[in-house]
């Protein structure tokens, strides 16, 4: 399984961790993962610490998620990016729409 | 048992020799004290029968000399004497005599006395032998400890951290520390810290440090989350340590920007989150059991996440700090520790240790004392991990990919695996993956499958597109995509050519304004390639595309993008 999700014990944050490749093959899993954010308007953390590759459809999936979740969450943070992944996010100007760490 | 008889009278010597030999003793004879001293080293007697009045060297003078020659072993000296005055007998004892044998000799008494002194002699010999053995083992143990200490200090000295961010204090109660402090940088540039405390202290407690450190460094290098690292270490310790030994620990990760903190803590005292202005903001209790107890399927990787600021710091410590005693057997305690930070939120672990030392005074330290402090500051350095030169070797390879391969394999990953295997290429792999994935997906989706990207703009568009793509791919019978990759070492350019057998597709609608680009869920691929590569060129009505990527392109960290 290259995608895991976990809701913090206090419900304040919801983490989706993606291992290896973040591409079109994850469309279904990714959409299903953020359907479970719960009712506490948590902060969503997309943890990319183990993401080696992503393609442009991953960027589209992130935007879709943001549209979809809207006010159901208190924010979305893309966390723990490796330098090359961060470069891709910066080129795509994702730092304007997401908190990137 | 050898007995030295020293007497100037021939008759006495003969009689004693006869009596002792008949009891099975070996007998050596000397005619006066000087002769006894001279033959002593060679004769190596166990007991000496010594006459008092003799020519050249009398018994009083001889006794101390023989005792000295006997060295560490107890040498029983029995004075042969006809003297019965108190003064002479006292003198015999003063010069080192152990007993008396009265003349004329009585065989029963002689034999009994010899046996008694034989026992003390043998006892002394065995004590000396035991002392020697003990000394030998002590030396051996010291030597072994030195070796182990050497290994430990090498294994545990791989810590990597930024000095302004991470500070720690360790003071073991004995040569080996049952507490453990480990630190490493993550591939993302952040900081990992592990503060651990094994059951007990000394060497027995310290042995668990080696596998813990090994696992910690391997897992932090991979950039795992704190919970996953704890799980890996737990598995190692469960396998290696005896049931009654385990490791209380907290694992902390601070992100590169110093804004995100995550903590997994098992069996440790409360960790303090302190703000320089407001004082203690939060006490973070252990949520879990120590590592090395729970089976893999029972282990909980759940961790705390915090958003932190540059004025925040984390203070973690082992129970040796709060359980340290003063002269009245009172414990230092969590309250005293917290009071230091309540009084001055700027306090550091040095201040705590100073306080603790004052509190304990001259009381000997009972347990290992360890503390660490993590200042939640951003880190601005660059990690130069795999900054290898790229081998100046031209290479070229190509893959003709047919429908079956498109359905069942991932050619882009395979191409990237091959390229990453070439020395120096691996730091470009994520970027090259994105570029090639883009070209390949376009070739398959639009060249072979004739899909329309605008489907993605609709509600649920991504999902519908995915379904349509699967359906079209399932029935695809003909066509192929040729991928070729090459490296030109003179110009330091990686080129990809992707050619599909389709009838071509329009790629002219890719020049979107930045704003539109950010809003639409599709269409950013080609613009990304334009940013990442030196050139991209479509020919053959869009069915052939060639891109050039310069491996000299600026390092990811240095990139500044102007809109």
């Amino acid at each position: 399984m290259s995608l895991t999700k976990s809701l913090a014990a206090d419900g304040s944050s919801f983490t989706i961790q993606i291992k290896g490749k973040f591409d079109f093959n994850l469309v279904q899993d990714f959409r299903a993962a953020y359907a479970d954010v719960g009712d506490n308007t948590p902060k969503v953390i997309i943890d990319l610490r183990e993401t080696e590759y992503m393609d442009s459809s991953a960027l589209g999936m992130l935007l879709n998620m943001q549209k979809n979740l809207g006010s159901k969450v208190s924010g979305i943070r893309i966390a723990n990016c490796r330098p090359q992944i961060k470069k891709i996010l910066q080129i795509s100007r994702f730092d304007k729409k997401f908190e990137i760490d | 048992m050898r007995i030295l008889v020293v007497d100037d009278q021939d008759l006495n010597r003969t009689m004693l020799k006869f009596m002792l030999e008949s009891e099975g003793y070996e007998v050596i004879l000397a005619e006066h004290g000087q002769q006894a001293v001279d033959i002593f080293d060679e004769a190596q007697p166990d007991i000496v029968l010594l006459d008092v009045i003799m020519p050249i060297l009398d018994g009083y003078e001889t006794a101390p000399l023989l005792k000295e020659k006997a060295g560490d072993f107890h040498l029983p000296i029995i004075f042969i004497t006809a003297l019965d005055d108190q003064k002479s007998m006292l003198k015999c004892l003063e010069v080192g005599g152990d007993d008396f044998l009265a003349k004329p000799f009585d065989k029963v008494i002689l034999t009994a006395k010899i046996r008694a002194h034989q026992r003390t002699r043998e006892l002394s010999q065995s004590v000396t032998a035991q002392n020697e053995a003990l000394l030998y083992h002590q030396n051996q143990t010291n030597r072994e400890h030195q070796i182990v200490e050497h290994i430990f200090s090498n294994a545990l000295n791989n810590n990597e951290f930024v000095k302004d961010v991470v500070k720690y204090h360790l003071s073991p109660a004995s040569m080996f520390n049952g507490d453990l402090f480990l630190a490493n940088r993550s591939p993302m540039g952040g900081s990992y810290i592990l503060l651990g405390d094994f059951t007990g202290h000394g060497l027995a407690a310290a042995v668990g440090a080696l596998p813990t450190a090994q696992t910690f460094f391997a897992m932090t290098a991979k950039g795992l989350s704190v919970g996953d690292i704890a799980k890996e270490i737990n598995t190692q310790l469960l396998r290696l340590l005896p049931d009654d030994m385990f490791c209380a620990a907290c694992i902390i990760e601070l992100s590169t920007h110093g804004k995100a903190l995550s903590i997994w803590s098992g069996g440790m005292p409360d960790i303090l989150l302190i703000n320089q202005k407001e004082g203690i903001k939060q006490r973070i209790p252990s949520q879990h059991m120590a590592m090395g107890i729970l089976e893999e399927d029972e282990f909980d990787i759940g961790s705390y996440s915090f958003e932190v600021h540059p004025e925040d710091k984390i203070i973690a410590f082992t129970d040796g700090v709060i359980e340290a005693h003063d002269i009245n057997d009172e414990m230092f305690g969590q309250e005293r520790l917290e009071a230091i930070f309540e009084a001055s939120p700027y306090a550091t672990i040095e201040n705590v240790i100073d306080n603790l030392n004052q509190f304990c005074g001259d009381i000997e330290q009972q347990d290992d004392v360890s503390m660490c402090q993590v200042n939640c500051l951003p880190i601005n350095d660059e990690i130069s991990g795999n900054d290898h030169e790229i081998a100046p070797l031209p290479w070229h390879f190509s893959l003709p990919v047919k429908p079956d391969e498109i359905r069942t394999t991932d050619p882009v990953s395979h191409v990237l695996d091959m390229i990453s295997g070439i020395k120096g290429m691996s730091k470009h792999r994520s970027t090259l993956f994105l570029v090639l994935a883009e070209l390949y997906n376009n070739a398959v989706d639009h060249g072979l499958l004739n899909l329309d990207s605008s489907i993605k703009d609709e509600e649920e568009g991504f999902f519908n597109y995915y379904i349509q793509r699967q359906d079209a791919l399932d029935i695809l019978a003909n066509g192929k995509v040729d991928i070729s990759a090459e490296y030109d070492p003179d110009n330091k350019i990686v080129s990809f050519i992707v050619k599909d057998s389709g009838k071509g597709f329009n790629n002219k609608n890719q020049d979107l304004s930045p704003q539109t680009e950010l809003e639409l869920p599709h269409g950013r691929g080609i613009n990304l390639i334009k940013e990442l590569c030196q050139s991209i060129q479509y020919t053959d009505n869009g069915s052939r595309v060639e891109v050039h990527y310069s491996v000299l392109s600026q390092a990811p960290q240095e990139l500044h993008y102007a809109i």
Side-chain angles (χ1 to χ4, degrees), chain B residues 141-367:
Chain B
T141 306
N142 283 343
R143 170 86 186 119
E144 282 169 0
H145 279 187
Q146 278 167 11
I147 293 170
V148 175
E149 198 192 18
H150 180 85
I151 295 171
F152 270 52
S153 63
N154 284 343
L156 304 181
N157 272 355
N158 294 329
N159 284 346
E160 291 275 350
F161 57 90
V162 176
K163 285 199 177 72
D164 291 339
V165 174
V166 179
K167 301 186 183 302
Y168 69 101
H169 170 92
L170 294 175
S171 67
S174 65
M175 184 182 197
F176 293 102
N177 200 342
D179 283 2
L180 179 65
F181 170 80
L182 300 170
N184 200 11
R185 299 287 303 278
S186 75
M188 293 77 77
S191 310
Y192 285 112
I193 291 95
L194 181 151
L195 187 68
D197 178 2
F198 285 92
T199 349
H201 55 265
L203 180 57
V207 286
L210 286 184
T212 306
Q214 228 169 12
T215 311
F216 174 81
F217 287 116
M219 296 305 132
T220 50
K222 283 190 190 169
L224 294 193
S225 67
V226 288
D228 285 332
I229 296 171
K231 188 179 168 80
E232 289 292 331
I233 296 174
N234 180 67
T235 305
Q236 280 293 322
L237 296 183
L238 194 64
R239 197 167 61 82
L240 292 172
L241 298 188
D243 288 346
D244 57 349
M245 222 179 123
F246 43 82
C247 180
C250 61
I251 305 177
I252 302 169
E253 182 189 5
L254 180 68
S255 69
T256 324
H257 294 88
K259 289 182 200 156
L261 186 80
S262 50
I263 296 179
W264 184 97
S265 180
M268 290 283 279
D270 286 2
I271 297 165
L272 302 178
L273 175 58
I274 299 166
N275 183 278
Q276 305 278 38
K277 293 184 188 110
E278 301 158 27
I280 296 174
K281 273 168 76 175
Q282 202 160 353
R283 292 171 190 83
I284 305 156
S286 272
Q287 313 143 274
H288 306 287
M289 292 185 85
M291 301 189 293
I293 301 172
L294 295 174
E295 294 293 333
E296 237 170 297
D297 55 349
E298 301 171 300
F299 193 83
D300 184 359
I301 61 169
S303 60
Y304 284 111
S305 301
F306 301 95
E307 283 186 41
V308 287
H309 311 283
E311 312 88 56
D312 289 340
K313 67 185 168 210
I314 284 284
I315 300 285
F317 46 90
T318 57
D319 58 8
V321 176
I322 45 176
E323 286 171 10
H325 285 81
D326 72 354
I327 196 157
N328 302 317
D329 224 22
E330 196 180 328
M331 283 204 266
F332 186 65
Q334 180 105 9
E335 272 179 35
R336 264 194 196 82
L337 190 147
E338 289 187 9
I340 297 169
F341 293 103
E342 294 292 7
S344 163
Y346 285 94
T348 63
I349 49 172
E350 283 90 17
N351 301 126
V352 176
I353 296 300
D354 287 347
N355 253 282
L356 182 67
N357 288 338
Q358 261 177 17
F359 175 80
C360 294
D362 295 332
I363 300 289
E364 198 192 338
Q365 188 183 330
Q366 295 295 312
D367 194 4

Side-chain angles (χ1 to χ4, degrees), chain B residues 432-492:
Chain B
L432 291 175
F433 174 89
L434 181 125
V435 171
L436 187 59
E438 214 53 53
L439 304 180
Y440 173 77
N441 288 335
N442 278 342
V444 173
D445 292 9
H446 309 308
L448 298 187
L449 303 178
N450 295 313
L451 294 171
D452 181 359
S453 273
S454 60
I455 303 170
K456 291 185 191 167
D457 300 342
E458 299 158 15
E459 180 90 22
E460 295 294 315
F462 253 68
F463 187 62
N464 292 336
Y465 186 85
Y466 183 77
I467 300 292
Q468 282 197 17
R469 185 182 189 274
Q470 285 298 347
D471 291 347
L473 194 55
D474 283 346
I475 55 167
L476 182 69
N478 297 307
K480 68 169 182 168
V481 176
D482 283 302
I483 302 172
S484 85
E486 70 176 69
Y487 179 61
D488 167 8
D490 294 332
N491 297 308
K492 310 230 182 306

Side-chain angles (χ1 to χ4, degrees), chain B residues 495-510:
Chain B
S495 311
F496 291 128
I497 298 170
V498 178
K499 194 166 169 291
D500 65 73
S501 59
K503 56 184 190 290
F505 57 93
N506 177 19
N507 52 71
K508 293 279 185 259
N509 67 340
Q510 302 290 351

